[in-house]
Amino acid sequence: ELFCERCAPKCSGCGLGLTGKIVKVGEDSYHSHCFTCRACGSQLNGRYAKDPDGRPVCKGCHAEALEEQHAKQQARLIRQETKANEFNRAAYGLVWDEELSPSSIGCLKALGVPSDRLPNGTGLVCVQLETVRGRVHVRCAPTASVEASVNVSYLACALRVLREYGRETQFSLDPADPTNIGGEEQVKVFYPAWLENTVFGEVLFQSDYALKEICFGNRLPNSVPELVSAWDQAVKRDTATKPRASRQWFVVRQASVALAPDG
């Protein structure tokens, strides 16, 4: 076909008239040297992809664009999930209220300890061993160390369960429908059941909920880097893309009590 200079087909890259070797892509035509990646400018030699606007790009830039798009989608999903989690925490009381923490001094008073024998000068209390007339006694003493302190109310509750039931306290979030562990609704289960209406029971629930947030990757415990989320575990096992439901328990395998030089 013969065209005048004004009507001759134009290169979709440079806009000049097409002469010599050309590359045709769909309805677009290019000089061979103009057929380049619209992202990095490298020349395309037959292998290319298209960006969202339909422009040719090299395989490398296409892969980077897809990764960037995927990262934006993931960031958007994380923001949505974070917002939903914050709403649920506020709506269902899933945030620990510091005001609920019972006072060790108040607990000792409630247990009948005379005022003149209560620790003075601090609200922090530790458990101290002492030997009187050859017998070992346990008493509460004041301490300035947060690490050495115990909450007497929690300790008394745990000891009561141990004494009356011969076991440790336990809490579990169980499926509302036992036949469907992947269901959305869960129920609180306390062992023993009377813990449900106690602050100690609330501590068990909040601890369990925090551990589950870690399991799902919603909370990152910098102090326990070896504790990985269930998602990371699934990725490692190459099962992250498969439908699955599971339960996870945290069990203390080894615990110890350190005795300071002063008891």
Side-chain angles (χ1 to χ4, degrees):
E1 294 181 76
L2 297 177
F3 299 92
C4 66
E5 183 177 348
R6 186 178 62 182
C7 297
K10 301 295 190 292
C11 172
S12 297
C14 67
L16 301 178
L18 289 169
T19 57
K21 186 177 180 179
I22 65 172
V23 178
K24 191 169 180 61
V25 179
E27 298 181 357
D28 296 324
S29 298
Y30 301 85
H31 294 114
S32 59
H33 61 273
C34 291
F35 188 50
T36 58
C37 173
R38 291 302 181 265
C40 68
S42 62
Q43 190 164 0
L44 302 174
N45 297 314
R47 298 176 62 83
Y48 68 94
K50 289 186 177 181
D51 66 8
D53 296 325
R55 301 177 303 175
V57 292
C58 67
K59 295 289 186 179
C61 289
H62 180 61
E64 290 181 4
L66 289 178
E67 289 180 2
E68 182 179 355
Q69 182 182 7
H70 177 70
K72 290 180 179 179
Q73 291 175 343
Q74 286 296 107
R76 183 169 62 253
L77 290 174
I78 290 174
R79 288 195 298 270
Q80 293 173 349
E81 186 173 327
T82 300
K83 187 176 181 179
N85 289 337
E86 291 175 349
F87 173 82
N88 288 335
R89 289 191 189 100
Y92 298 104
L94 303 179
V95 180
W96 171 248
D97 184 356
E98 292 290 344
E99 294 183 359
L100 290 177
S101 298
S103 164
S104 291
I105 303 299
C107 179
L108 291 173
K109 288 181 180 179
L111 290 173
V113 177
S115 299
D116 59 345
R117 298 188 62 182
L118 291 173
N120 295 318
T122 177
L124 297 179
V125 175
C126 68
V127 176
Q128 186 176 43
L129 295 178
E130 60 180 7
T131 302
V132 179
R133 297 176 184 176
R135 299 184 61 183
V136 176
H137 295 264
V138 178
R139 73 182 187 91
C140 292
T143 180
S145 172
V146 176
E147 291 77 10
S149 65
V150 296
N151 188 299
V152 177
S153 177
Y154 299 157
L155 178 61
C157 192
L159 291 176
R160 176 188 170 186
V161 173
L162 180 62
R163 181 177 180 178
E164 295 182 3
Y165 299 89
R167 57 168 296 169
E168 70 277 8
T169 59
Q170 184 178 338
F171 170 82
S172 177
L173 272 177
D174 290 354
D177 179 3
T179 64
N180 179 21
I181 66 172
E184 293 186 358
E185 294 187 358
Q186 295 179 316
V187 293
K188 299 177 182 179
V189 180
F190 296 85
Y191 305 93
W194 56 262
L195 286 172
E196 181 175 1
N197 297 315
T198 65
V199 175
F200 188 79
E202 180 66 12
V203 171
L204 293 177
F205 164 66
Q206 291 290 345
S207 301
D208 186 272
Y209 186 79
L211 289 170
K212 283 180 170 57
E213 284 192 306
I214 294 171
C215 286
F216 287 110
N218 294 335
R219 181 182 295 191
L220 300 177
N222 296 327
S223 58
V224 194
E226 64 273 14
L227 188 58
V228 298
S229 70
W231 171 257
D232 291 331
Q233 295 178 35
V235 170
K236 187 176 181 179
R237 293 193 298 264
D238 195 26
T239 59
T241 58
K242 301 176 182 178
R244 59 194 298 267
S246 62
R247 301 197 66 187
Q248 189 167 9
W249 281 267
F250 293 86
V251 180
V252 178
R253 293 183 176 178
Q254 182 178 1
S256 61
V257 177
L259 184 63
D262 60 355

